[in-house]
């Protein structure tokens, strides 16, 4: 059951550092791919990052001051930009994707899975817009879980999280 033409399913995975965001995005990517979806992913990095190795030709292009650098081969294409872009700009460049999984960007308005590893992580629930589920680690206190209106799903139950995402997309 893929999204209708010209519509994309956009889901955010948010949480603090070391709560399993990247692992969950990878598992959900694999699950959507098994169902035949074309998946795009976007990650917010709070630090500067380098994706090109020093000394490569594309690194030399960027070091020379290129604002945009593209490389393509028989199997992949990459475009590197020497400036930041907003989440909306990144999404707009993923028109081919049926599903976009976003890691981070806590304040964006898209449906969210909130990663809860410890009781301290519950503070993310109140300000989070559009939560559809919380992916919880097994060691969480049951008392907190009972008082929460957001559906709680075990972090390793990728199938249930997948179904929750599909269910939420029919109510948007």
């Amino acid at each position: 059951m893929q999204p209708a033409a010209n519509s994309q399913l956009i889901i955010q995975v948010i949480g603090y550092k070391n709560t399993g965001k990247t692992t969950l995005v990878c598992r959900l990517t694999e699950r959507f791919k098994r169902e035949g979806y074309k998946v795009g992913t976007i990650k917010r990095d709070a630090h500067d990052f380098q994706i090109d190795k020093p000394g490569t030709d594309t690194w030399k292009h960027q070091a020379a001051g290129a604002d945009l650098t593209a490389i393509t081969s028989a199997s992949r294409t990459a475009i590197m930009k020497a400036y930041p872009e907003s989440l909306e700009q990144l999404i707009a460049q993923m028109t081919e994707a049926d599903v976009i999984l976003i890691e981070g960007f806590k304040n964006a308005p898209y449906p969210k899975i909130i990663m809860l590893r410890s009781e301290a992580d519950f503070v993310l629930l109140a300000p989070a817009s559009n939560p559809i589920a919380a992916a919880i680690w097994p060691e969480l206190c049951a008392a907190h879980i009972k008082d929460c209106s957001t559906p709680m799903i075990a972090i390793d139950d990728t199938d249930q999280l997948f179904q929750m995402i599909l269910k939420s997309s029919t109510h948007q």
Side-chain angles (χ1 to χ4, degrees):
M1 178 179 138
Q2 296 184 359
N6 296 326
S7 71
Q8 289 177 311
L9 178 54
I10 300 175
I11 298 293
Q12 290 178 257
V13 175
I14 67 167
Y16 293 123
K17 186 175 181 173
N18 295 321
T19 56
K21 295 181 303 293
T22 299
T23 299
L24 182 58
V25 167
C26 291
R27 288 181 180 164
L28 288 172
T29 298
E30 292 165 353
R31 184 67 173 86
F32 276 104
K33 292 298 293 174
R34 279 197 310 270
E35 296 298 321
Y37 289 85
K38 188 175 256 190
V39 179
T41 62
I42 299 172
K43 178 176 173 50
R44 170 78 175 129
D45 192 335
H47 311 286
D48 196 13
F49 65 92
Q50 180 72 36
I51 64 166
D52 206 4
K53 295 179 189 170
T56 63
D57 291 347
T58 52
W59 180 88
K60 291 174 185 176
H61 296 179
Q62 292 271 294
D67 295 304
L68 299 164
T69 301
I71 184 169
T72 192
S73 72
S75 60
R76 67 184 63 202
T77 296
I79 298 176
M80 295 168 281
K81 300 179 180 184
Y83 50 87
E85 290 190 321
S86 71
L87 179 57
E88 295 307 319
Q89 289 170 310
L90 295 170
I91 290 170
Q93 295 173 58
M94 294 196 171
T95 57
E96 298 172 40
D98 300 313
V99 177
I100 299 175
L101 300 173
I102 302 167
E103 183 178 335
F105 294 90
K106 289 181 184 80
N107 297 320
Y110 301 101
K112 292 174 183 60
I113 296 173
I114 303 159
M115 306 300 291
L116 302 176
R117 185 172 188 164
S118 71
E119 291 184 22
D121 296 340
F122 277 83
V123 299
L124 286 171
L125 289 170
S129 65
N130 211 355
I132 60 168
I136 60 167
W137 285 68
E139 60 267 19
L140 278 179
C141 174
H144 282 290
I145 295 170
K146 285 189 267 182
D147 296 335
C148 185
S149 62
T150 302
M152 301 284 163
I153 300 172
I155 191 168
D156 59 353
D157 194 343
T158 307
D159 286 334
Q160 189 174 358
L161 288 164
F162 174 78
Q163 293 302 325
M164 184 65 71
I165 291 168
L166 292 180
K167 180 181 172 186
S168 75
S169 71
T170 62
H171 295 96
Q172 292 179 18

